[in-house]
Amino acid sequence: MTLKVPRVIGHRGACAYAPENTLISLHTAADMGCKWVEVDVKLSKDFVPILMHDDTLDRTTGIQGAVKDYDFHELRDMDAGQWFGDSFINTKIPSLEEVMELILQRNLGINLEIKPCPGREHDTAEAMFDLLSQIWDDDARDRVLITSFSYIALETAMDIAPDWARGLLIDDDPDPNWADMAKYFAAQTIHFSAETATREFVEELMDFQSPLYAYTVNDPRTAQTFRQWGVDGFFTNTPDIIHDGLFKVN
Ligand code: G3P
Ligand code: MG
């Protein structure tokens, strides 16, 4: 199944403008013209897939402890918006099910980054596909791209759902065997960290001849430079700025 990933992907929604990994952040990205968004998928203690970036709750909810130690109904009682601003008070941590409903409703595509708490790599991928198999139509699979920094999670994804598109995430300290891993996982896209990438490394990535995406790029001049180097698209916290500054047409 061929994906049509656009040049601009809203990172954790449009997380410069609304609290990351929440429904309001995804709506904001869609309102700014994003056709695709990226989110981070974790598991509650009782195995409900939800959105959260950090392993711990403190930064975005003010609660002490790890995500994996709270049941879904407890996570739901937390406020995931107040840290960002008073106008976001009472924003909830969304379930992945709610997120996928929004994706359909807003006619978006989504990059599901499996972001397991340590030790839950397999379970997170498994619970995510359990849910997707129940709610997601096969015909709409070209709107979903699976990634993870965790090779265990990606391997689980490949075992459980071989036909769902996978991308390879490369971090700030690139695995020297990234190309072998990309082949092994049959990655359709390569995603690299803009923070540390040199032109030489980008050229090495381009030799692989898969669509190439940089995360996280909020400055249109940086995006322009990467475009000149041959990078296909960008994960961004500021989709409006990247849209307006770089791509008049997405
Ligand atoms: O998928 C791109 C990017 O989201 C990876 O880094 O830490 O923002 O999830 P992070
Ligand atoms: Mg992410």
Side-chain angles (χ1 to χ4, degrees):
M1 190 166 278
T2 312
L3 301 187
K4 277 183 271 168
V5 183
R7 296 205 190 287
V8 181
I9 303 158
H11 184 237
R12 309 180 199 174
C15 72
Y17 305 112
E20 64 188 53
N21 285 319
T22 64
L23 299 184
I24 185 68
S25 188
L26 301 177
H27 277 301
T28 304
D31 292 344
M32 288 181 169
C34 283
K35 304 280 192 289
W36 275 57
V37 287
E38 182 264 5
V39 297
D40 303 298
V41 179
K42 270 194 170 36
L43 272 192
S44 66
K45 185 180 175 186
D46 52 347
F47 294 86
V48 178
I50 53 114
L51 298 198
M52 180 70 64
H53 178 274
D54 299 359
D55 294 337
T56 53
L57 291 157
D58 184 42
R59 181 175 64 89
T60 56
T61 70
I63 304 291
Q64 296 303 309
V67 178
K68 68 178 171 56
D69 294 331
Y70 287 87
D71 282 338
F72 180 63
H73 77 90
E74 296 173 302
L75 294 171
R76 277 300 247 208
D77 283 343
M78 298 174 189
D79 188 323
Q82 185 170 16
W83 72 279
F84 196 83
D86 284 349
S87 57
F88 295 101
I89 283 175
N90 279 329
T91 303
K92 298 296 175 198
I93 296 170
S95 68
L96 181 60
E97 184 167 3
E98 290 169 317
V99 168
M100 299 312 281
E101 279 165 16
L102 183 155
I103 295 300
L104 283 179
Q105 181 199 337
R106 298 297 306 258
N107 199 23
L108 298 170
I110 190 163
N111 172 199
L112 295 171
E113 184 192 338
I114 308 171
K115 191 77 121 181
C117 280
R120 305 199 95 193
E121 292 81 5
H122 179 87
D123 288 346
T124 306
E126 194 172 66
M128 189 181 90
F129 281 109
D130 262 1
L131 173 75
L132 291 175
S133 68
Q134 290 166 40
I135 64 166
W136 201 254
D137 197 328
D138 261 2
D139 293 345
R141 253 199 288 120
D142 60 349
R143 291 156 58 178
V144 181
L145 174 64
I146 310 296
T147 55
S148 186
F149 287 116
S150 159
Y151 288 158
I152 298 174
L154 217 48
E155 175 106 44
T156 306
M158 189 163 70
D159 284 349
I160 295 177
D163 296 337
W164 292 63
R166 291 174 296 280
L168 190 78
L169 259 179
I170 297 175
D171 67 16
D172 281 323
D173 182 18
D175 179 347
N177 297 318
W178 69 263
D180 290 337
M181 299 316 293
K183 277 186 208 137
Y184 176 73
F185 289 120
Q188 292 195 18
T189 53
I190 306 286
H191 308 193
F192 69 94
S193 171
E195 188 129 4
T196 47
T198 59
R199 179 161 198 172
E200 192 185 7
F201 185 56
V202 169
E203 281 172 0
E204 188 185 324
L205 293 171
M206 280 175 54
D207 285 345
F208 195 75
Q209 306 220 321
S210 284
L212 196 52
Y213 291 85
Y215 67 89
T216 306
V217 177
N218 303 320
D219 170 15
R221 282 163 302 182
T222 306
Q224 185 76 62
T225 302
F226 277 126
R227 278 295 289 155
Q228 283 162 2
W229 294 1
V231 173
D232 293 285
F234 307 94
F235 293 85
T236 180
N237 303 339
T238 55
D240 56 339
I241 291 173
I242 296 296
H243 273 290
D244 291 350
L246 191 54
F247 311 108
K248 295 297 175 202
V249 178
N250 187 21

